[in-house]
Every structure is written in structure tokens, then in C-alpha cells.
Amino acid sequence: MTNSKTPRIAVIGCGAIAEEYYLPALASFPSVMENLILVDRDQARLDKFTAKYQVRRSARDHREVQNEADGVIIALPTGLHAPIGVEFLSRKIPVLCEKPLAEDAAHARILIEMAHQKETALAVNYLQRIIPHFAHVKKLLSEKTYGAPLKMEYVIGEIFNWPTVSGFYFQSDPSTRGILRDRGAHAVDHICWWLGGKPDLLSSYNDAFGGSEAVAHVAFEKDACKGRLVMSWFADVPCRFSIECERGTIEGEIYDYQKLIITEGGRKREVFVNSPIHTKLDVAREIVSNFIAVIEKGAKPLVQGADVLESIEFTDEAYEKTQLLDMPWYRSAEVRDAV
Ligand SMILES: NC(=O)c1ccc[n+]([C@@H]2O[C@H](COP(=O)([O-])OP(=O)(O)OC[C@H]3O[C@@H](n4cnc5c(N)ncnc54)[C@H](O)[C@@H]3O)[C@@H](O)[C@H]2O)c1
């Protein structure tokens, strides 16, 4: 028997993010777990999680649960967010969609417009906006605590080791987009959010030869601020950001959720953000708890589809204008092979 008082949430896609993030977070809400529905085309994934979490209802096809779910979490490969998300929104079923909201801005707009037309919530898991030190950067920049930003550097260098089940990250159908679309969804969203809107693109380089890129360098400008986003799935380097403002510099490590380093008047100090959010699982619980309130009480999503559209538009532009990164080691190999 299910609990008729709590919403029926369906997790559509039981891959890596469902396993590492949603299912452990949902497990903090036992009454929601009683009503949970799992959907995956892969029966082995369903068997694994229905047994582990004692889930009573599962399905291989999302269409089977369209008349059962009160809300859905779309945790599918990115190219499926828009086509499957829109099916639920068109039935007025609230959606919490994984990042990136969609493959490109055209598909993101389809979701946003359907949500608007049906007056149904479209929440997005741009979870990094909830992480305390990133949120504190937003506050410092909005309040101009150290004046206007002048220079921004954002670096992500991490070897790709995410335990993807489908491997869609490197498949070229429906798109060949790589690190900038994927890991860059958070970084570009930060940049747009922190700067108060979409910057102008100054340059875009990546290492793709027709497939998906593993390295991307993007330069941008907004008002007085010039910035650079450097991303690589080949290099293991400290992931960090730095924002030089008129009267001080704000720095942080991407994965040190509570700490910023502020340099002001030549003096460097550590600033700790006092927040109960320490881990990715804490963030996941916040996102899931908010989505339950969205379904039950019509609460506002922490981050909505429309909030992230500009970041996807910027990403589209960076792909449209991208040039081949200068790779001297590759050029010398080409010359060597030609002689
Ligand atoms: N917010 C974050 O920081 C974060 C981190 C990792 C992944 N993600 C996002 O989560 C989404 C899923 O990524 P993942 O790493 O879990 O992928 P994955 O490849 O591990 O899993 C995808 C799952 O979807 C299932 N699936 C594929 N097509 C299906 C269909 N038509 N119907 C039902 N099931 C289907 C597959 O069988 C697989 O189990 C992606 O959009 C990714 O960008 C977000």
C-alpha cells in the first residue's frame, strides 16, 4: 500500500547521478520513499535499486508512469531532458531537471515555455548555486562589498572519472558537445549569475576535431570585468576561481564549500561561511526537500529553468564561434607524420 498523503515522485533515469545523489537524498524522506517510482530502460538498474531501497513501483518506460507521478526528477542523458521533460510538463506534472537543462538554448526554451504555458514548476539542479561559498560570492558581488569586479578566472581541471552508466558524455548523438556543455553548465551559470547577466563572448577555443571536446578555453567580458574560463578533463589541477574587484580580491576552491580567501588592502584572510551545507549530499537534500515543497505546496523552486537560460545561450555562442585550440604538441606530431 502507498501513502496517499505524500507525493509520488518518479526518478526517470537510474544512472550515476540517481545512485550517488538522488536516491541517498530521497532516502532522508521515508514517506516519499514509500511512494517512489523508479524508471530506467535497464532492468538490472531497476532491480538493483528497488532491492536496495525497497521501492515498490518501477517501470522501463516513462510513459507508463505519466498518470501516476505527482512530480518527476529527470536524471537522463542530457539529450533526453527536453523531449521527455516536456511530456510531463504538458500534463502539468512538476519537473526537477538535471543540469544542463537541455542540449542547447532552443531545447531549454521549449521546456521553459511549456512550464509557463501550463503554469507548472520547472526546477533545475544547478546545485552549485546552493553551495555556501558560491552563494556568498554572489552576495559580495551584488552588494559591491569590494567594488565592481574587474577580472575573473575560473579553472576546472579534473580527469573525467564519473561513473556514467550509459557513457552518453562521449557519444555524438544528439550532439558532439563535451566539457563545456557538461561540467561547464555549472561554471558558466556561476559566471552569468555572479556578473548579473550574460557576458559578451570574446573568444572560444577547444580541442575537438569533430567529436566532443575535453579542453575548452573561453574568454568573456561584462561591463568592466574581463574573464577567462579554462576547463580540462585531461589535467588534474586545483579547481578554483578568483575575482579581482576594485577594492579587493575574492578567491575560492571549487570543492571547499565553506571557505573564501579575501585580499583587501594588501592583507589576505580566510572567510568561513557558516552554513549547515557541507557535502554534496547536504545540497541534494536541500534540492529534494525544495522539490517536495514545490509539489505539495506550490513552493518556488530554488533554481528555475528560466534562471539558467542565459548561461545556455552563452554556451551555444561559445560552441558556434569556437576555434581550434593551439596544440603545439599536436602540430609537431602532424609535421612528423607528414615527413
Ligand atoms: N548536477 C550535477 O552536478 C550532475 C552530475 C552528474 C550528472 N549530472 C547530469 O545527470 C544526467 C544523467 O547523468 P548520469 O551521469 O546519471 O548518466 P548515466 O549515463 O550514468 O545514466 C543514465 C541512465 O539513464 C538511463 N536511460 C537512458 N535512456 C533512457 C530512457 N529513454 N528511458 C529510461 N531510462 C533511460 C540509462 O539506462 C542510465 O541508467 C545528465 O544530464 C548529467 O549531465 C548532473
Side-chain angles (χ1 to χ4, degrees):
M1 216 171 87
T2 57
N3 182 341
S4 60
K5 291 207 189 79
T6 49
R8 300 209 74 182
I9 295 183
V11 178
I12 317 285
C14 297
I17 192 76
E19 180 166 9
E20 308 252 331
Y21 184 93
Y22 287 112
L23 293 171
L26 283 159
S28 304
F29 303 89
S31 60
V32 171
M33 285 306 271
E34 280 180 37
N35 289 349
L36 194 70
I37 305 170
L38 296 181
V39 179
D40 201 289
R41 63 180 180 188
D42 181 344
Q43 188 61 47
R45 297 293 292 172
L46 292 177
D47 292 344
K48 177 174 176 179
F49 300 119
T50 48
K52 179 168 180 185
Y53 292 100
Q54 294 171 8
V55 175
R56 299 189 184 101
R57 174 78 173 107
S58 65
R60 301 270 296 271
D61 190 311
H62 68 279
R63 287 167 292 198
E64 287 177 47
V65 305
Q66 274 168 344
N67 297 323
E68 294 173 40
D70 299 317
V72 297
I73 296 174
I74 304 278
L76 291 161
T78 300
L80 293 173
H81 294 181
I84 294 186
V86 86
E87 287 186 43
F88 287 98
L89 289 170
S90 69
R91 290 172 165 76
K92 290 174 98 50
I93 298 170
V95 166
L96 165 57
C97 186
E98 249 317 318
K99 76 98 218 350
L101 173 58
E103 217 32 77
D104 53 32
H107 287 93
R109 276 187 216 104
I110 291 171
L111 284 164
I112 293 165
E113 276 159 27
M114 183 58 81
H116 180 70
Q117 197 187 319
K118 296 291 174 179
E119 297 178 349
T120 302
L122 171 60
V124 287
N125 184 23
Y126 279 58
L127 64 101
Q128 295 206 353
R129 287 201 188 194
I130 318 300
I131 293 175
H133 68 325
F134 291 130
H136 198 59
V137 171
K138 172 68 182 166
K139 184 170 182 285
L140 294 175
L141 291 180
S142 304
E143 292 173 358
K144 292 205 163 38
T145 310
Y146 303 105
L150 304 174
K151 189 176 168 201
M152 187 180 288
E153 290 267 334
Y154 199 120
V155 178
I156 300 285
E158 49 200 12
I159 310 290
F160 185 93
N161 65 357
W162 179 250
T164 170
V165 170
S166 67
F168 82 90
Y169 295 87
F170 301 104
Q171 290 159 3
S172 56
D173 182 18
S175 106
T176 55
R177 294 178 172 196
I179 191 168
L180 184 64
R181 170 202 62 177
D182 182 65
R183 187 62 186 78
H186 291 305
V188 175
D189 179 52
H190 278 152
I191 291 164
C192 295
W193 181 52
W194 285 342
L195 292 177
K198 184 169 57 152
D200 293 329
L201 181 78
L202 297 179
S203 66
S204 169
Y205 293 90
N206 72 34
D207 66 341
F209 288 87
S212 62
E213 85 286 357
V215 181
H217 292 192
V218 175
F220 54 87
E221 179 177 41
K222 176 130 190 354
D223 305 323
C225 184
K226 284 198 173 185
R228 205 165 63 109
L229 168 64
V230 174
M231 313 192 74
S232 174
W233 268 331
F234 289 144
D236 197 2
V237 297
C239 299
R240 52 182 300 281
F241 58 89
S242 121
I243 307 157
E244 212 176 289
C245 300
E246 288 167 315
R247 295 188 299 278
T249 300
I250 307 164
E251 292 170 88
E253 302 280 340
I254 302 290
Y255 297 108
D256 194 345
Y257 288 2
Q258 304 270 336
K259 190 173 91 180
L260 292 175
I261 296 167
I262 307 286
T263 307
E264 197 184 7
R267 282 184 45 235
K268 206 174 247 227
R269 66 193 158 91
E270 292 182 341
V271 171
F272 290 91
V273 188
N274 192 11
S275 161
I277 297 178
H278 292 268
T279 65
K280 204 166 167 184
L281 186 56
D282 294 335
V283 183
R285 286 198 200 96
E286 289 283 311
I287 298 269
V288 164
S289 157
N290 170 251
F291 189 54
I292 295 168
V294 165
I295 302 168
E296 282 185 331
K297 304 178 205 152
K300 192 177 166 207
L302 286 172
V303 190
Q304 314 198 61
D307 298 336
V308 301
L309 181 60
E310 283 196 331
S311 68
I312 304 175
E313 289 171 345
F314 180 82
T315 304
D316 282 2
E317 205 183 325
Y319 276 111
E320 276 156 28
K321 302 202 172 137
T322 202
Q323 301 173 59
L324 189 62
L325 197 63
D326 186 28
M327 293 178 279
W329 61 93
Y330 178 80
R331 275 191 281 112
S332 59
E334 253 187 338
V335 172
R336 193 190 57 220
D337 292 347
V339 289

